[in-house]
Amino acid sequence: MNFPLFLILIGAVVMIQPRTKRWQSRMAAHFKGDEKRVKQRANTFFLLGFAFIMAGLAYLYQAVGS
């Protein structure tokens, strides 16, 4: 029962991370100020976090249902 909750927690952290100032400044430096690439990377992290949350919910549903 801990694994689904872990996935949900990690998904939330991955989704929130691109919104931090530290992350944004590092990505801006990495992509040399290309705002389109920074936004694209943030969207990728958001989708990855969402996938983790969905996987956690699926495992949780399966654990509770059986």
Side-chain angles (χ1 to χ4, degrees):
M1 187 96 163
N2 287 337
F3 186 63
L5 299 176
F6 175 74
L7 284 175
I8 292 170
L9 177 67
I10 292 301
V13 169
V14 170
M15 288 173 77
I16 292 170
Q17 183 180 0
R19 299 192 188 280
T20 63
K21 284 188 179 272
R22 181 177 179 190
W23 189 91
Q24 288 178 357
S25 65
R26 285 181 177 219
M27 286 297 109
H30 179 73
F31 292 121
K32 297 173 182 49
D34 188 358
E35 202 57 39
K36 181 181 176 189
R37 297 283 308 269
V38 173
K39 187 170 177 124
Q40 187 178 29
R41 181 67 55 98
N43 289 340
T44 301
F45 269 72
F46 184 84
L47 289 175
L48 181 65
F50 185 72
F52 270 88
I53 290 175
M54 287 292 111
L57 290 175
Y59 277 125
L60 193 61
Y61 179 75
Q62 184 180 19
V64 171
S66 40

